Amino acid sequence: MYKRLLSAAILSLSALPASADDHHCGKVTIADMNWNSASLIANIDQFILEHGYGCDAELVPGDTMPTGTSMIEKGEPDIAPEFWSNSMREGLQRGIDEGRVRYAGSAFVEGGEEGFWIPRYMVEKHPELKTISGIKANADLFPHPEDASKSAFYGCPAGWSCQITSENQFEALELADSGFEIVDPGSGAGLAGSIAKAYEREEAWFGYYWAPTAVLGKYDMVKVDFETGTDVQHYKDCITSNDCMNPQATMYPAADVDTVVTERFATRAPEALTYLKERGFTNDQMNGLLAWMEENQADGEYAMTNFLINHEDIWTQWVPSDVAEKVKDAL
């Protein structure tokens, strides 16, 4: 009798319609990459997926190449919230073709941004500096820190991939002919420090940088117009190559910064997948958040709490109202 009653109970429960909270999300692993913007987004995703969608969300350490490889070959982690896809385009496409991973949306809706920059206070005094022709015509405004007879262009640190692109662009723009010489900042911190030092003293600065970053959130910089337009194919074929024999100047194309998920996760958790498709930041938004993290020495979790409490106008646009209320209650 007991077994018959138990079987009947199980059958009656299985016949019930799925509740609104039953998203079949289950356990979800999220790559917590080792830089601030990626860690912030990972923590935001964890909190919203856990409290808004009922997922058992867990952060795991990650980095671009090992995380991408593991997702394609092993099906884990489930989510890479901020993936700079150009660095692993062929591998990702293979994973998509084999039905292992898919793109779920854009972490940065405008894409990553690169370029040559100068401080806004210089443009306010000399509006012509907004263009590369204006920079070259006024090279004497950018004295080299070790030789005032030369002009300084602050390049990307040695060994970084942007060293190749910035040096090819430097050659294509014929900046050496105008008296410029590349200054190696030694490190990412050295490059950021050179901007901070110039800004605090309102001195000249001209060089390579990228967004979103805390530096461009803290310091108002203007991207120089190369007056060339953007040749995406030449950029990919030549500017990014060590073997670029005849570089032609082109504005940097936006870098794809995606959210990548495993196909298994996408299939079992469609509501959570919809959230990831909607979730994305503008560069200005992320620049400001990164500047706040740096000023407050905040890690990804602390910055996530600050974001969810103080920027409801942003994140509530990503989720339905009932999910938003659950997240607010959890906070």
Side-chain angles (χ1 to χ4, degrees):
M1 173 66 75
Y2 172 77
K3 288 183 178 179
R4 285 200 299 272
L5 288 173
L6 181 60
S7 297
I10 292 173
L11 285 170
S12 64
L13 285 172
S14 66
L16 290 173
S19 71
D21 290 329
D22 185 12
H23 293 281
H24 305 290
C25 191
K27 184 173 181 179
V28 180
T29 49
I30 304 170
D32 186 0
M33 306 287 200
N34 57 0
W35 60 91
N36 279 350
S37 58
S39 184
L40 168 59
I41 299 174
N43 276 273
I44 291 171
D45 287 351
Q46 180 195 31
F47 196 92
I48 289 179
L49 289 176
E50 180 176 335
H51 297 287
Y53 292 91
C55 304
D56 179 12
E58 175 189 2
L59 295 181
V60 296
D63 204 349
T64 302
M65 296 301 287
T67 294
T69 301
S70 179
M71 292 177 76
I72 294 166
E73 296 182 355
K74 301 178 181 179
E76 57 187 27
D78 294 296
I79 304 171
E82 182 188 321
F83 201 98
W84 290 70
S85 303
N86 287 344
S87 63
M88 199 178 175
R89 182 69 66 190
E90 292 183 5
L92 286 174
Q93 189 57 54
R94 176 172 59 84
I96 292 169
D97 293 342
E98 294 176 357
R100 297 173 182 268
V101 297
R102 70 164 75 171
Y103 294 113
S106 298
F108 304 137
V109 295
E110 300 161 317
E113 186 176 15
E114 297 176 89
F116 293 179
W117 307 76
I118 63 171
R120 184 169 296 280
Y121 53 77
M122 293 194 72
V123 173
E124 290 173 351
K125 292 180 181 178
H126 306 279
E128 66 274 18
L129 297 179
K130 289 186 294 186
T131 65
I132 198 66
S133 59
I135 294 282
K136 292 163 72 173
N138 294 274
D140 59 314
L141 294 176
F142 303 91
H144 194 287
E146 298 176 359
D147 185 351
S149 68
K150 299 177 181 178
S151 301
F153 169 82
Y154 287 83
C156 194
W160 290 24
S161 60
C162 54
Q163 181 190 24
I164 297 170
T165 61
S166 60
E167 290 186 357
N168 280 334
Q169 296 276 37
F170 182 92
E171 179 182 346
L173 292 166
E174 300 178 338
L175 289 173
D177 293 347
S178 297
F180 282 96
E181 186 174 280
I182 297 176
V183 176
D184 182 355
S187 65
L191 183 59
S194 69
I195 295 177
K197 179 180 177 181
Y199 229 92
E200 288 164 4
R201 301 179 181 182
E202 285 207 5
E203 295 177 342
W205 192 92
F206 171 49
Y208 168 89
Y209 219 74
W210 71 97
T213 50
V215 167
L216 294 187
K218 186 174 183 179
Y219 303 109
D220 191 2
M221 305 289 283
V222 175
K223 186 163 66 172
V224 176
D225 185 352
F226 291 172
E227 304 168 287
T228 60
T230 306
D231 185 339
V232 176
Q233 198 59 50
H234 180 72
Y235 178 84
K236 291 180 178 179
D237 293 343
C238 193
I239 298 298
T240 60
S241 173
N242 260 324
D243 301 320
C244 184
M245 301 302 294
N246 185 30
Q248 302 297 310
T250 171
M251 293 295 286
Y252 285 85
D256 294 331
V257 188
D258 301 298
T259 296
V260 178
V261 301
T262 61
E263 191 64 35
R264 183 174 55 191
F265 166 79
T267 301
R268 78 167 186 267
E271 293 89 352
L273 180 67
T274 298
Y275 154 71
L276 294 174
K277 290 179 178 179
E278 294 294 326
R279 189 265 293 124
F281 297 86
T282 68
N283 286 337
D284 281 347
Q285 288 170 347
M286 184 53 72
N287 285 340
L289 293 169
L290 292 174
W292 185 91
M293 289 181 74
E294 184 173 282
E295 290 168 3
N296 292 275
Q297 298 183 352
D299 61 11
E301 183 178 9
Y302 184 34
M304 171 272 294
T305 305
N306 168 72
F307 172 75
L308 293 178
I309 291 174
N310 295 309
H311 295 280
E312 283 187 11
D313 58 315
I314 298 175
W315 68 263
T316 53
Q317 303 301 309
W318 305 335
V319 297
S321 57
D322 62 322
V323 172
E325 288 306 314
K326 293 176 184 177
V327 173
K328 291 177 187 178
D329 289 344
L331 286 170

